[in-house]
Amino acid sequence: MKDQNGATVERRKARKWRKSADNYQREVLVEELRSKQSHLLHLKGLVHKEHEALREECSTLRYVAATHVLSASRNALYKDLMRTHCDKIGRLISKKFDVDEHIKNISSYRLSFFEKLVICRGLKFSLPHKVSPIDVQASFEKLYWKIDDKLSDPNLKELAASTLRSIALNYIQRKSPNPPKALVKALNLLKERDDIVITRPDKGSGTVVMDKEEYLRLLRQASIADTSKFTSIDPNRPKTRGRPPKHFHPLLQKEKELKAVLHQVLPEKLAESLSPKGSRLAHLYGLPKTHKPTLSMRPILSASGTYNYKLAKWLEEKLKPLSMNEYTIDDALVFSKEIREHPVLEGDILASYDVTSLFTNVPVQETINILVEKAFTDNWFNSTYDLNLQKDQLTQLLRMASTDQLFQFDGQLYEQCEGVAMGSPLGPLLANVFMCHLEERLSNDDLIPSYYKRYVDDTLAIMPGLDAAVSFLNVLNGLHPSIHFTMELSNNDSIPFIGTLTSFDFLLSGK
């Protein structure tokens, strides 16, 4: 009897707080609509000003013709946008909301309803922070003193001060919607837990909840467990003769070496802009491959802000045209159009070929040499970007930007000594350059299938049967000893590829 009463009380509480959460969502939407309406009025004012300027610049006939064209374009765009929004709203309204739909809990911790309510909103969800009225007043006062010198008229100064004061008071007195207390409590409880990890999946959308021990174990297994590619670094100062440096850290040493090379090779202004200043260690994290039959982890380095990130980004922008070929997918819409138009014969099957851990298995020095040779064909690199580099200098820059990346994991310092630095902007570029080189060999030997498209390490091909698909897999695995391909065949004439479901009716739908 007590259990039944307790269950009834829990259901009542759940209904009560669900209603409270719905009210909070409604208040947030009202506030958002109010903000959008204010922005719309501002845009209408700008459009009116532009119309007035156009009227002054053009004759009456030209003005009427121009406004007619603008009006027709606006109406067509409006209809298209409204159709899209109505379809989206219709799908959202007709779909019953389920807090478990986008959450994959593979941890030993049982989530409460309110914790699910927080997590299902995504990793970027946060509650609004209350701003101190004193901080608001200080910010507006600081703004006033910035414009005070630019106002010579005392009346204008008084008008500016009173306007800013009025805006500040209105902002302070404005009441924001208050989130339900249960939602705040659930969010704080999730923050305090250190035995679980909340992250996103490797493919698709949603949120994954894992035990921290299992998360770290899988991440170690996918990365630093391979001692041939990763090595532990001692952060202490090595014993050397002579006076030791006042401050020592492997990261500071890397910064010093890179800065010296940049100023030696590049023009002074460019070298200074690419030199590391206040850099940080890269951080290793992983994305669980929940779409695989056996759970594994994709290791990723958060490399933004690291000592060689600026150089890697600069090189990636300059050399990107050399990493593409006719088989590379760089636009999903173009890919969709091409595959729709490709003829299909009876007995054809869809096959997907995936490279196992491509980034960590790319032969870096060999790939850099291939890329440098392409860059200096007809002196393309120097003539395109008005530089005067030698082959060995570009090779040195690429090596420093893409190898021996320092990173931190679970409080320890490591260095990636083989493969392309994960998380580096040069990672996809070098991987594409290496794959393009292999595809050139296949094309020269006339081994490319009739339809073959690749996105980094995922390849889709239309094969004339199972035997041909297996034979091509063997050919791929014989191209280079550093990489290994796996094959996935279509199921019910459809196969997942780059976030879409590709089938022989060539209808692509988001997963």
Side-chain angles (χ1 to χ4, degrees), residues 220-233 360 407 414-419:
R220 283 193 184 94
Q221 184 179 321
S223 56
I224 61 174
D226 189 350
T227 54
S228 65
K229 295 182 174 64
F230 300 92
T231 180
S232 179
I233 300 295
T360 54
F407 65 93
Y414 295 90
E415 184 177 80
Q416 184 180 345
C417 50
E418 286 291 338

Side-chain angles (χ1 to χ4, degrees), residues 4 9 17 59 65 157 166 180 187 227 282 288 339 357 373 429 470 502:
Q4 290 180 353
V9 171
W17 288 113
S59 63
K157 288 186 178 182
S166 174
L187 185 59
T227 54
I339 197 171
S357 303
E373 287 297 325
L429 181 134
V470 173
T502 307

Side-chain angles (χ1 to χ4, degrees), residues 476-493:
L476 291 174
N477 281 323
L479 288 173
H480 201 281
S482 295
I483 60 170
H484 176 73
F485 286 83
T486 59
M487 180 178 69
E488 181 180 356
L489 298 176
S490 56
N491 183 18
N492 295 325
D493 288 336

